[in-house]
Amino acid sequence: MTLHYAGAQGQEIASATDELGAVVLGTETATHTILEAAEKIDELASNLAARLAGGDRDIAKEISDQVISVFEACNFQDITGQRISKVVASMRFVEERVTEMIKIWGGIESFKDIERLQGANANGEQSLLNGPALDHDPGRTSQDNIDAMFN
């Protein structure tokens, strides 16, 4: 990590923390949607199985069994969310300590004359791998504005 003397340039840790928070929220939202759909499929398969006989009933039962597999697979989200939350807490701890050290050393102004190291610049397709913008990112276009363009 390099200390930077300019507002937004020194926000790498905060930005990474926000991105990880967005991952947790995104996986929670997606998992919730998946589970709701799986519950509806399971309900429909059970209703269908009650109306069928023989091999058709067995197929409906197999659908219900596969839905249970979906439920079980969605457990990843809770564990993943807990692990990412631990990383976020650690990153915030480090950021707080670095901020305190900078204050002890005379504030960010005391670093303005230190040459800034340039990070590796991504080229080609790698430069496009920034992921979706966070809600507070500058220049972010809202989903409502995007939807309005297509209506």
Side-chain angles (χ1 to χ4, degrees):
M1 179 175 106
T2 303
L3 297 176
H4 300 281
Y5 171 72
Q9 293 173 336
Q11 298 298 318
E12 288 86 0
I13 292 177
S15 178
T17 302
D18 291 346
E19 292 284 349
L20 288 171
V23 168
V24 171
L25 181 60
T27 57
E28 283 177 0
T29 302
T31 302
H32 180 71
T33 301
I34 292 166
L35 290 173
E36 282 184 341
E39 286 174 5
K40 185 64 177 175
I41 292 168
D42 190 42
E43 177 186 333
L44 293 170
S46 293
N47 290 340
L48 187 59
R51 297 178 185 172
L52 299 174
D56 291 339
R57 179 178 278 183
D58 292 340
I59 292 171
K61 173 73 171 112
E62 177 63 23
I63 291 170
S64 290
D65 291 344
Q66 293 303 316
V67 168
I68 290 170
S69 295
V70 171
F71 287 135
E72 291 170 351
C74 284
N75 284 332
F76 82 93
Q77 185 278 323
D78 185 47
I79 294 168
T80 301
Q82 290 175 29
R83 288 180 175 156
I84 291 174
S85 293
K86 285 181 181 180
V87 171
V88 167
S90 295
M91 290 175 69
R92 284 192 176 126
F93 176 82
V94 169
E95 184 178 26
E96 290 168 4
R97 296 309 177 264
V98 168
T99 299
E100 287 302 313
M101 288 183 350
I102 289 171
K103 287 178 186 175
I104 290 168
W105 293 333
I108 197 71
E109 283 289 322
S110 64
F111 294 93
K112 70 180 179 182
D113 295 329
I114 296 175
E115 184 179 336
R116 183 174 162 207
L117 298 175
Q118 297 298 322
N121 293 327
N123 296 322
E125 287 186 18
Q126 285 290 50
S127 67
L128 302 175
L129 299 177
N130 298 319
L134 296 173
D135 290 340
H136 63 278
D137 283 348
R140 178 186 177 275
T141 303
S142 74
Q143 187 63 48
D144 291 338
N145 289 344
I146 294 168
D147 293 342
M149 286 177 24
F150 292 102
N151 289 330

